[in-house]
Amino acid sequence: MARIIGASDDAAWNTRTESDLSEITSPVRELISSQFYDGGLHDGQNILDRMNGTMTMQSKAFSPSILICDLGFGDAFFNPFQRSLENIQEAEATKCVYDFALQQLQADGRAITAKDVCVLCPYNRHKNRLRTVLAGIPEEDWSKYENFDYCAAIGDTSARMVARMDRVRNIDTVDKFQGSERDVVLLNTVVQHRPDRAADPHFINVACSRAKHLLVLVGQLSALAQQDPTWRKILEYGAEKMAAGGGGGG
């Protein structure tokens, strides 16, 4: 599964092009290798064995894929008290993508749950907004959920609370998540102008390399690509792989 989704004048989201990249070997690895390692990054034997093994995403034949959701809406807001950025519309769009991806992967027979999916971003304020939108955390309780043992601390180990905490643990900033991996990674860019942190090559490299199987990029990527060469190359990479898979433009 790999698609490029963009915005049009008459719809918030409009599927412009779609191509099956199942014949492309390790698109996530190829993206990282081409952008940050001059094409010198290759799958080791442990990765090859794992892809041929029985992992949570492997109940059906599965090739690592990239989904690019190029939004044409959403404004970043700077909170002067936390000195951090958030983009509420992008968080809401991410929830739609998150729910759809999880539903589709489960419908395809893959044993995947919220524990296998993470959502990452560059800013702490946006991380908290994502926890509200995706996990239902009230804004006034943001600080409480920084403690991942919160449900045990308050004596609530109900299935509902455990499910909520599974989502909370997997919504974080890229810096906090460095060193961890998930089968599916959704990355928010948050900003559309003056990309700064969202255009840091180290940030992009670390964020993308957290994905073991499916990488989903959500943000105003065309706007960022006009200002930043790394995002421009990523969109060009997506277009090249789309063409290689036989998809048409739109």
Side-chain angles (χ1 to χ4, degrees):
M1 176 175 66
R3 302 171 184 171
I4 298 180
I5 297 177
S8 68
D9 293 335
D10 58 352
W13 289 7
N14 175 44
T15 301
R16 291 167 46 200
T17 55
E18 177 175 344
S19 61
D20 181 2
L21 303 186
S22 60
E23 296 181 0
I24 303 297
T25 304
S26 304
V28 175
R29 187 262 295 158
E30 287 184 2
L31 170 65
I32 296 166
S33 180
S34 65
Q35 299 306 316
F36 305 106
Y37 298 95
D38 285 332
L41 188 65
H42 303 284
D43 290 335
Q45 189 60 48
N46 61 323
I47 299 298
L48 297 174
D49 291 343
R50 186 169 64 181
M51 289 176 63
N52 293 324
T54 55
M55 298 192 62
T56 54
M57 294 283 286
Q58 292 296 107
S59 54
K60 288 190 175 182
F62 186 85
S63 178
S65 303
I66 301 171
L67 173 66
I68 301 178
C69 299
D70 186 13
L71 307 181
F73 59 89
D75 295 317
F77 169 74
F78 179 75
N79 184 284
F81 300 103
Q82 292 188 339
R83 298 192 61 78
S84 187
L85 288 159
E86 67 174 314
N87 188 323
I88 295 176
Q89 291 171 295
E90 189 170 303
E92 292 171 345
T94 300
K95 183 181 188 306
C96 295
V97 177
Y98 179 102
D99 291 343
F100 176 79
L102 195 58
Q103 181 184 38
Q104 290 299 307
L105 289 169
Q106 291 172 342
D108 283 347
R110 299 189 175 97
I112 185 170
T113 69
K115 291 182 179 180
D116 306 306
V117 183
C118 75
V119 185
L120 304 177
C121 68
Y123 305 105
N124 193 60
R125 175 84 184 183
H126 188 73
K127 171 208 74 180
N128 286 327
R129 181 59 61 193
L130 285 167
R131 288 180 175 180
T132 292
V133 175
L134 273 72
I137 305 303
E139 188 168 340
E140 61 270 20
D141 290 341
W142 280 355
S143 61
K144 297 177 183 178
Y145 281 85
E146 293 297 330
N147 174 13
F148 288 160
D149 294 324
Y150 179 63
C151 56
I154 63 174
D156 186 351
T157 56
S158 64
R160 177 177 174 273
M161 179 59 79
V162 170
R164 171 179 281 186
M165 290 307 300
D166 284 343
R167 289 201 175 197
V168 169
R169 290 187 182 96
N170 285 297
I171 301 171
D172 219 327
T173 61
V174 172
D175 291 336
K176 292 283 187 65
F177 212 77
Q178 188 166 351
S180 298
E181 293 179 320
R182 291 295 183 270
D183 284 334
V184 180
V185 171
L186 285 77
L187 174 62
N188 275 193
T189 57
V190 182
V191 296
Q192 69 273 28
H193 304 298
R194 297 185 298 277
D196 190 29
R197 175 66 173 146
D200 180 351
H202 176 72
F203 160 80
I204 300 171
N205 183 9
V206 171
C208 293
S209 60
R210 300 310 92 200
K212 292 193 289 185
H213 293 295
L214 176 62
L215 172 64
V216 185
L217 306 176
V218 183
Q220 296 194 52
L221 303 176
S222 289
L224 291 178
Q226 293 176 7
Q227 307 165 65
D228 177 71
T230 301
W231 283 112
R232 183 165 58 252
K233 290 177 182 178
I234 288 174
L235 288 189
E236 290 172 353
Y237 172 89
E240 289 172 3
K241 293 307 177 185
M242 174 198 71

